[in-house]
Amino acid sequence: METVNSEFLGYSMYNGKLMDILLKGKTIVNTLNQYSFCLAEEDKNFKNALLQSDVLLPDGISIVLSAKFLSGSEIHKIAGADLHEFILKYLNSVYGSCFYLGSKNETLEVIKSKIVEKFPNVNCGSYSPPFKDSFTEEDNDLMVQKINEFNPDVVFVGMTAPKQEKWVHQNKDRIQATYICSIGAVFDYFSGTIERPNDVWVKYGLEWLGRFMKEPKRLWKRYFFMD
């Protein structure tokens, strides 16, 4: 099935239903927001990884509004957290499996315990890679090995942008999973390490402001620095 896409400044943004994503074959899913858009203008490898996504989700109200203003495109915001929740519900209904790559062991253990509680039919695995700016060949081999040994239907990668997208792009042909989703901060939201803004903020496209108010020192550059 062909996906529904809308053009936005050279990017093909997904503008269909979440269920349709799961009707494809092997699929690389990434997200685009204001921060990643600006990073990609300075990082060619990151931009290439985004451009070669099978599905690129508009994860940010600034992307939605800019698309409307620049081309009249009606793009609907789909946050990484929304994708994650949808996929877990789907996996639970089909007794599927998922694997979390990234974050600390403590966070991963909380994630797995929550899945046991909320999605008991989902078989879940995880691996916490070394925390470093770049991985060695041995690091990459072990990460791929851990995933493939578990043989999941879906891999969730949470190592923050642009690291996660570039890693997936580099290793996607070796990963034995149908869906590979780079979802960054969702690991922290789902585990409760960072509280996601409530539904009112999300409904009106102000989720970014809710996050900024909680962590202004860490996030000011992401939302207000455009160079």
Side-chain angles (χ1 to χ4, degrees):
M1 176 179 291
E2 293 185 0
T3 57
V4 179
N5 295 298
S6 298
E7 292 300 316
F8 171 71
L9 297 178
Y11 292 95
S12 183
M13 306 300 304
Y14 184 74
N15 201 24
K17 299 178 180 179
L18 284 173
M19 178 55 74
D20 292 341
I21 295 174
L22 301 179
L23 299 178
K24 296 164 60 67
K26 187 166 186 177
T27 305
I28 308 301
V29 183
N30 290 315
T31 64
L32 184 73
N33 56 28
Q34 172 188 318
Y35 178 65
S36 55
F37 178 85
C38 293
L39 281 181
E41 293 304 297
E42 303 295 330
D43 187 332
K44 292 182 179 179
N45 290 330
F46 180 36
K47 185 170 186 176
N48 185 51
L50 293 176
L51 289 172
Q52 295 196 36
S53 307
D54 296 305
V55 172
L56 186 60
L57 300 178
D59 184 7
I61 193 63
S62 59
I63 300 297
V64 172
L65 295 179
S66 296
K68 176 69 173 178
F69 176 76
L70 295 173
S71 62
S73 298
E74 293 287 348
I75 296 177
H76 303 286
K77 178 178 178 289
I78 304 176
D82 299 326
L83 173 71
H84 178 249
E85 183 81 6
F86 180 85
I87 289 178
L88 287 179
K89 289 179 179 178
Y90 171 79
L91 291 176
N92 194 58
S93 70
V94 298
Y95 291 79
S97 59
C98 64
F99 191 94
Y100 290 82
L101 177 71
S103 197
K104 300 177 181 179
N105 279 316
E106 296 83 353
T107 300
L108 295 174
E109 290 304 314
V110 174
I111 288 174
K112 288 192 287 186
S113 66
K114 285 201 168 188
I115 287 179
V116 169
E117 177 185 351
K118 297 181 63 177
F119 306 99
N121 299 330
V122 177
N123 187 21
C124 178
S126 67
Y127 176 66
S128 176
F131 184 75
K132 54 176 70 173
D133 291 334
S134 59
F135 297 117
T136 65
E137 184 176 345
E138 290 76 16
D139 292 332
N140 290 328
D141 289 344
L142 182 57
M143 291 156 74
V144 172
Q145 177 187 333
K146 292 289 186 180
I147 294 170
N148 291 346
E149 285 177 348
F150 192 78
N151 193 30
D153 299 307
V154 180
V155 176
F156 295 118
V157 184
M159 298 186 288
T160 72
K163 187 177 181 179
Q164 60 194 10
E165 291 85 358
K166 292 196 288 188
W167 187 88
V168 169
H169 183 66
Q170 176 186 352
N171 295 281
K172 61 183 179 181
D173 292 335
R174 300 198 293 156
I175 297 173
Q176 296 171 14
T178 306
Y179 308 101
I180 308 172
C181 309
S182 296
I183 56 173
V186 175
F187 282 41
D188 289 326
Y189 294 148
F190 188 70
S191 68
T193 304
I194 297 175
E195 183 179 356
R196 191 185 184 198
N198 65 41
D199 292 343
V200 174
W201 295 91
V202 175
K203 178 180 178 180
Y204 293 102
L206 296 173
E207 188 174 3
W208 69 272
L209 183 57
R211 288 196 296 265
F212 174 73
M213 291 175 68
K214 290 178 182 296
E215 299 183 276
K217 290 183 179 180
R218 186 175 74 86
L219 296 177
W220 74 269
K221 189 173 183 179
R222 170 172 295 200
Y223 295 122
F224 299 107
F225 182 65
M226 298 297 294
D227 288 336

